[in-house]
Amino acid sequence: MADLPYSPHLDRLIDLALEEDLGSGDVTTQALIPPELQGEAQIRAKQTLVVAGLMVAARVLARLDPALTFAPQVADGREVDAGQVLAVITGPVASILTGERTALNFLQRLSGIATFTRDMAAQLARATTVLVDTRKTAPGWRVLEKYAVRMGGGRNHRLGLYDGLLIKNNHIAAAGSITAAVRQAKARGHYLLKIEVEVADLPGLEEALAAGADLILLDNMDDATLKQAVDLTRGRAWLEASGSMTKERLPRVAATGVNAISMGALTHSAPAVDIHLRLVKTWR
C-alpha cells in the first residue's frame, strides 16, 4: 500500500470487521447467488472527494476471497468528481456482494478524512504553518486515519505514546511544575526524543522556554495571545496552536506566526463521503 506503513493491526482490524458483518454467513447472498456466478463490479464516487483507502478496500476483499481481483482506477490522494470509477472488482459475485459493505465502510471513512483534511489544509495554502492531526482517532484505526490525513495534505503528529514526549497539564500537575516535568523528561527520556510541553498561558510559556522545551503546545489561546506567544518565543521553540480550531479560524491562527496547528476534528469529526458499488455484468 503506497505510503501506508505496514501495521500488524490492519489485518486484525479487517478480520474483526468481516467477522462483525458476516457472522455465520451472508444468508441473503447464499439464498440468491449461485457460487459459480462470476461478475464485474465498479466502485464509484457519488460526490467530489479525495480518495484514500483503496488498498485497504482491496485487502478486505482479498481476506474474504483471494479469487477476487481488485484494480484501482485512480491513486490515493487524488481529488475526483462524482461519477469517477475508483476501482473495478472481478470474480465470484457472491464474494463481491458479501464484502461490499465492509470494503466501502473503510473507503468511505478514510476518503472522508482525506476530503475534510484537504479542505482544512487549503485554508493554510498561503502560510508556512503546517496542519497536523492528533491521537483523537477511532480505536484500532489510528494508522489508517493518519494515513488518510496525509492523503488530504495534512501532517501527522505522534502516532502513539511511544514516539513522542508530550508533557500535558495532568503530567505537570503530577510532577509539580513545568520546570520539574521537563527536568525529569530530560533525565529519563532518550536523547533522540524532543520534548513538547502543553501550556495554557504566557507565564507557562515563559517557564517552558526557560526549562528548555523543544516544542510548546499553546492550548486554547485566543488569536491575540497566540501572537504574543510567537513574539515572546522569538524562534526559541517550535510553537503548535491547538484547541477550538475551525475552518474559518485557521487562516487567522496561521497569521499569528505559529509553526503548526493541530486539529482533532480531522479524524474525530470528518464526515464519511458517498461512494457506492454497482454490479455491471455477470457470466458463468
Side-chain angles (χ1 to χ4, degrees):
M1 300 176 195
D3 203 34
L4 177 58
Y6 170 75
S7 169
H9 300 152
L10 181 55
D11 282 348
R12 288 160 53 195
L13 180 63
I14 288 172
D15 290 346
L16 181 63
L18 287 169
E19 178 184 339
E20 175 184 59
D21 201 35
L22 191 54
S24 59
D26 179 354
V27 294
T28 307
T29 296
Q30 290 170 354
L32 300 178
I33 309 299
E36 68 276 9
L37 187 65
Q38 302 291 302
E40 177 184 304
Q42 295 178 347
I43 295 178
R44 287 181 180 267
K46 295 184 70 178
Q47 66 176 87
T48 300
L49 57 87
V50 177
V51 183
L54 283 171
M55 291 299 99
V56 182
R59 186 65 176 162
V60 168
L61 297 173
R63 298 287 285 184
L64 179 67
D65 186 350
L68 291 173
T69 299
F70 186 99
Q73 303 299 296
V74 296
D76 277 359
R78 177 178 161 186
E79 183 172 319
V80 302
D81 294 325
Q84 172 68 49
V85 176
L86 306 182
V88 175
I89 306 163
T90 55
V93 172
S95 297
I96 293 173
L97 299 183
T98 297
E100 171 186 356
R101 182 72 268 149
T102 301
L104 288 180
N105 282 348
F106 280 100
L107 190 56
Q108 290 178 289
R109 169 72 179 156
L110 297 177
S111 295
I113 291 171
T115 302
F116 185 76
T117 301
R118 182 70 56 86
D119 189 24
M120 297 303 108
Q123 310 312 308
L124 304 179
R126 297 184 179 181
T128 58
T129 305
V130 298
L131 181 67
V132 300
D133 56 22
T134 71
R135 288 167 43 243
K136 296 175 183 178
T137 55
W141 281 66
R142 183 166 297 161
V143 168
L144 296 180
E145 292 188 358
K146 283 180 171 282
Y147 167 77
V149 167
R150 296 198 303 277
M151 291 301 97
R155 300 274 292 276
N156 293 153
H157 206 287
R158 58 180 180 163
L159 187 61
L161 295 174
Y162 53 85
D163 63 341
L165 208 162
L166 174 51
I167 301 171
K168 296 178 71 67
N169 56 355
N170 286 326
H171 298 111
I172 294 166
S177 69
I178 291 173
T179 302
V182 173
R183 184 187 307 118
Q184 291 178 48
K186 286 178 176 290
R188 298 173 184 175
H190 67 71
Y191 77 96
L192 292 177
L193 280 178
K194 291 184 180 295
I195 297 173
E196 182 169 18
V197 178
E198 176 185 270
V199 303
D201 52 33
L202 296 180
L205 171 63
E206 292 179 316
E207 185 178 356
L209 288 169
D214 302 296
L215 307 92
I216 300 174
L217 189 156
L218 307 172
D219 187 44
N220 279 303
M221 294 184 182
D222 60 31
D223 299 348
T225 307
L226 288 172
K227 182 64 171 69
Q228 288 180 277
V230 171
D231 293 341
L232 178 64
T233 301
R234 300 190 307 278
R236 288 176 288 167
W238 177 276
L239 296 181
E240 171 190 340
S242 184
S244 303
M245 295 300 166
T246 63
K247 177 179 177 178
E248 295 72 25
R249 190 184 177 208
L250 287 173
R252 300 198 306 271
V253 174
T256 67
V258 295
N259 303 102
I261 300 172
S262 56
M263 194 172 184
L266 297 181
T267 51
H268 71 58
S269 296
V273 291
D274 199 357
I275 298 172
H276 69 179
L277 180 150
R278 289 292 180 266
L279 195 63
V280 294
K281 59 183 174 181
T282 61
W283 64 91
R284 294 176 187 268

